Structures are given as structure tokens and as C-alpha cells.
Amino acid sequence: MPEMGFVQQLGIGALMTIKVAVLSYLLALAIGTAFALVTLRRRLVVGFIWQVYASIFTGVPSLLVAFLFFYAGSGIVASLASLVGLTVTVDISPFAAAVAALGMVYGAYLADLIRSAIQNVPPGQFEAAKVLLVPQPATWLLVILPQVLRLALPGMTNMWIVVMKDTALISLIGLKEIMAYAKLASGVTKEPFIYYVLASVFFLGMTWLTYFVSRRIESWSERGYKPVVKQEPAHAL
Amino acid sequence: MHYDPVLAWESMPTLLAGTATTFAVLLPVLVLGLLLALPVALMRLERGGKAVFAASYIAFFRGVPSLVLLYLVYSGLPQLSVVRDTFLWTVFSNAYFCAWVGLTLTHSGYMAEIIRGGLAAVPPGVVEAATALGLSPRQALFRLRLPMAARYVLKAYQNELLIMVKSTSAVSAITLVDLTAAANTVFDYTYDPFTPLVTAAAIYWCIVNIMRIGFTMADRKLNRHLARG
């Protein structure tokens, strides 16, 4: 039987997993949205930078990126800072390395998703907003964003699950999350099976919760697309 | 921090040995995963108990991270005396075998869902025509439905394959020295993290992009009837 102390530690680790996953996802969303917006129109320099970024971060395992940021991160930051004439010394914690790596890798995937969602909003929506003299910020925020959300949500939900599962892998750089505690508990108690099953139950639960919540958000984002009143077949037929 | 070409050249044998391990893990997983996914996908398309089983198989192996599965197979299963005290122990004490089992289960979960999607996209008229022409269900499956599904799911298979290439980096957790672990070994010897990790990243990048080119060519060949003339 699992001991309560270790189960409690697994809980602490699970909170850490959620924290890393949420922060990475928010960073990925920020990077993805920024790249999606600047690559909407074809521009040579920006397009080239995006191609290089996407090619690197979708072609390399996120674990390797995390190792690179964790071990070589302070060196990278120092030499980037010396380019602008600053001397900076930073210590990269496993937490920061994990969030940066996951955020940058999945930012590349999310950018593609968000861009194609924006491109799939009917162009008439932009034109109508322009004709009605809706100011630019309001157009994006109140007209386009809700429709982008409806189109991008299924992909974004999948990406969230992928990020969360990758957080487990990233623990190999020394992050104190659920896998690290499961490993610790297995080592001490010599009962690895139970603790790894508990860890997989946590991930299954999170996946289930994600689908539960995402279905709610999706049906909310589809308001205006679905008829409010259910169409009943006519009695005469 | 700077890139040291000399060190990169000297560490090449280690890194290439790691690449060989990566492929030794990857290739059996791709074959076994595909073989395992096909019956699961077919069960998922049926009704009743089989479909429920297939749905939970897919949900479980897609929901659990591959690292958890690897740990579960490599260090979790030996806790059970069934595994430890029988002939199973000889295979489950082998890290390669555990890597194959763990990753195959993950891969088959995703592949089952992809194949199911492809089979569901085959127009029902094709299957009806096959039945009308007297083809057995087996012939209809292997001669019509699967070849058609393969063309539909090529893009999804490309994504899944590239994800699998990158997920093999998880096997370093169960003592196998794959490309990622090899880069870390060089780092341990030389205290230079940047050069070996960037070199390993470049090797991964080449593998992934060669596969992308291969898929583009396969797509051009298989879906040439869809190409605009």
C-alpha cells in the first residue's frame, strides 16, 4: 500500500507539474500569438526569422532544448547581454529552463495553429468592421478574437495536453515535480509500481478534466453558431 | 560560451553511436505500434464491448506520458512477482525491451486513433460497392479501405512519426544511451554543455527534416490524383 507521506509528496509534485505546465502554456500562447500576428502578411525578414525559429524548435526534442537551456542557459544569456555591452550573470533554475524550453517549443506549434485560425475567419468580417468604422483594437478584440477562439480551441486543447505530458519528461533536468517524487518514493519503499500507477492516474485525471472543461468552453465559444432552440421534426411528417 | 568545432568532431563517434541507439529503439516501435494499432482501430469502429475496450485503450495510452509508461514497465512491473520470478524477468530486465514496450503502447494509442479516422473517412459507397461485387470483408479491408485510408492519413502519420522521433529522447531515463544521453555524456567529460547539445540538436534536426522530405515525396506519389495539373 502507498504510504500517506509519499502520496502527500506526490501531491506537492503534482502542483508543481500543473504550475510548470500552466506557465509554459501561457508563454507558448504569448510567443504563438506574437508570431501568428507578425507572419499574417508576407514579409521577407520576419518570414525568414519565423521559418528558422519554427524549423529549429519543431525539429529538436523538447528535452534536448531543456537540457541546453539548463546547462548552457547562463552562458547564452551572458553572451547575448555582452552583445549589447552588458555583463550579466544569471543562474538558470530547472524551473526557468523547463518553462522557457516548453514555452518556446510549443510557441512554434501554437503560432501555426493561431495563424490558420485567423486566416479562416471570413474576410467579410474584417471588411464589415472597416465599413462600420469600428476602431482597429475593437475589431481585433471584439470581432475577430471570439471567432479565432472558436476555430483554434480544439487544437489548443490538444496542445495543452501535450505540454502537460511533456512536463513529465522535462523532470529529467532535475525539476521537483510528480515524476521526481514518484521516483524518490519508489526508491525508498521498493514499491515502484504503486507510485507510477498513481502518477499515471494523475495524468489521466488531468486529461479527463481538460476534456470536461474544454467541452464547456467550446460550447460557450460556439454561441451564435448553434440554434438556441432545438429544431423538432414537424408533427405532420 | 562558444561552439567548439574540434570538440564537435571528436565527439562525433559517441553521438553517432547514440543516434544508432535512437534508431534501434525507434524502428521496432514504429513497426510494432502499427501492427498493434490496426486491430484496436478496427475494434473501435465496431459496436458494443469491443468498442468500449478500444476506446479505453486509446484514452489510456494517449493520456499517460511516455516517460510514466517507461518507468512503469522498467521499474514498476518487476515489483510484481509474476514478472520477477518467471521467464518474463529475462526480457523485462532488458532496457531495450522495456523501451520498445513502453513506446509501442504510446505509439499504438495514437496510431489507432489516426487509422480509425482514416477508415471512417473512406466513403461508405466504396465498401457497399465492394460487397456488391462479391469481395470478402477481408479483401475489402486490405485492397480498398486501408490503401484509401493510408492516403487520407499521410499528414497525420507524418506528425505522429516526427513526435515519436523526438519522444525517443525519453529512453535516456531508463539507462539507454540514445542521442540525447550521448550528448550529456560528452558534456560530463568535457564540462562544455553547449557544443555537444547543439551538435545533437543538429543531428535530430537532420533526421526530422529528411523524414519531412520523404513524406512530401510520398504524398506527391500517393496523392498525385489530387494534384492540380
Side-chain angles (χ1 to χ4, degrees), chain B:
Chain B
M1 173 215 77
H2 69 285
Y3 189 74
D4 183 357
V6 179
L7 173 61
W9 181 248
E10 280 171 357
S11 57
M12 217 24 116
T14 318
L15 293 179
L16 287 181
T19 313
T21 309
T22 295
F23 276 106
V25 170
L26 180 68
L27 295 178
V29 166
L30 294 180
V31 176
L32 294 174
L34 201 59
L35 290 179
L36 202 57
L38 188 58
V40 177
L42 291 174
M43 282 160 88
R44 182 77 183 80
L45 286 170
E46 280 175 33
R47 271 158 213 257
K50 279 182 177 178
V52 174
F53 168 78
S56 25
Y57 180 95
I58 293 171
F60 183 82
F61 290 115
R62 281 177 20 135
V64 174
S66 45
L67 183 72
V68 180
L69 279 178
L70 286 175
Y71 277 143
L72 207 53
V73 174
Y74 184 65
S75 37
L77 285 183
Q79 189 196 329
L80 310 174
S81 58
V82 184
V83 175
R84 204 177 45 235
D85 299 334
T86 59
F87 70 99
L88 285 172
W89 178 237
T90 46
V91 281
F92 276 97
S93 57
N94 183 335
Y96 271 107
F97 182 80
C98 294
W100 291 333
V101 170
L103 291 178
T104 297
L105 290 174
T106 307
H107 185 54
S108 66
Y110 279 93
M111 281 313 294
E113 191 63 12
I114 290 174
I115 295 173
R116 185 197 65 80
L119 287 176
V122 174
V126 171
V127 186
E128 286 163 16
T131 318
L133 290 170
L135 267 72
S136 68
R138 178 184 295 268
Q139 279 175 320
L141 178 66
F142 284 104
R143 302 259 174 102
L144 289 167
R145 292 168 70 199
L146 281 179
M148 286 182 84
R151 286 161 169 79
Y152 296 137
V153 302
L154 204 61
K155 194 77 194 161
Y157 186 56
Q158 175 184 349
N159 284 336
E160 170 57 16
L161 190 64
L162 297 186
I163 289 171
M164 278 319 289
V165 172
K166 289 179 262 174
S167 340
T168 53
S169 60
V171 300
S172 56
I174 58 168
T175 71
L176 287 178
V177 185
D178 72 319
L179 183 49
T180 306
N184 275 326
T185 319
V186 176
F187 162 46
D188 287 341
Y189 284 127
T190 59
Y191 295 109
D192 177 4
F194 192 70
T195 306
L197 286 171
V198 167
T199 315
I203 296 176
Y204 273 117
W205 187 87
C206 290
I207 296 171
V208 164
N209 278 287
I210 288 171
M211 286 184 169
R212 275 190 185 138
I213 293 170
F215 268 101
T216 313
M217 282 160 65
D219 184 50
R220 215 173 282 158
K221 190 166 159 49
L222 287 175
N223 288 327
R224 58 187 181 276
H225 57 289
L226 297 176
R228 267 168 278 166

Side-chain angles (χ1 to χ4, degrees), chain A residues 52 54-64 67-69 71-72 75-77 79 109 158 161-162 164-166 168-172 179 183 190-194 196-197 199-201 203-204 207 211, chain B residues 1 59-68 71-72 75-77 79-80 106 110 162-163 165-167 169-173 179-180 183-184 187 193-194 196-198 200-202 204-206 208-209 212:
Chain A
V52 172
S55 173
I56 292 174
F57 283 101
T58 59
V60 172
S62 47
L63 178 63
L64 196 74
F67 272 129
L68 192 65
F69 284 175
Y71 292 127
I76 295 173
V77 170
S79 45
Y109 289 98
N158 280 340
I161 291 172
V162 174
M164 193 179 57
K165 283 167 53 186
D166 241 20
L169 190 57
I170 296 293
S171 71
L172 295 179
M179 290 312 293
K183 205 176 172 183
K190 307 286 177 216
E191 289 181 331
F193 191 72
I194 292 165
Y196 290 133
V197 165
S200 51
V201 166
F203 282 104
L204 281 178
T207 315
Y211 281 126
Chain B
M1 173 215 77
F60 183 82
F61 290 115
R62 281 177 20 135
V64 174
S66 45
L67 183 72
V68 180
Y71 277 143
L72 207 53
S75 37
L77 285 183
Q79 189 196 329
L80 310 174
T106 307
Y110 279 93
L162 297 186
I163 289 171
V165 172
K166 289 179 262 174
S167 340
S169 60
V171 300
S172 56
L179 183 49
T180 306
N184 275 326
F187 162 46
F194 192 70
L197 286 171
V198 167
Y204 273 117
W205 187 87
C206 290
V208 164
N209 278 287
R212 275 190 185 138

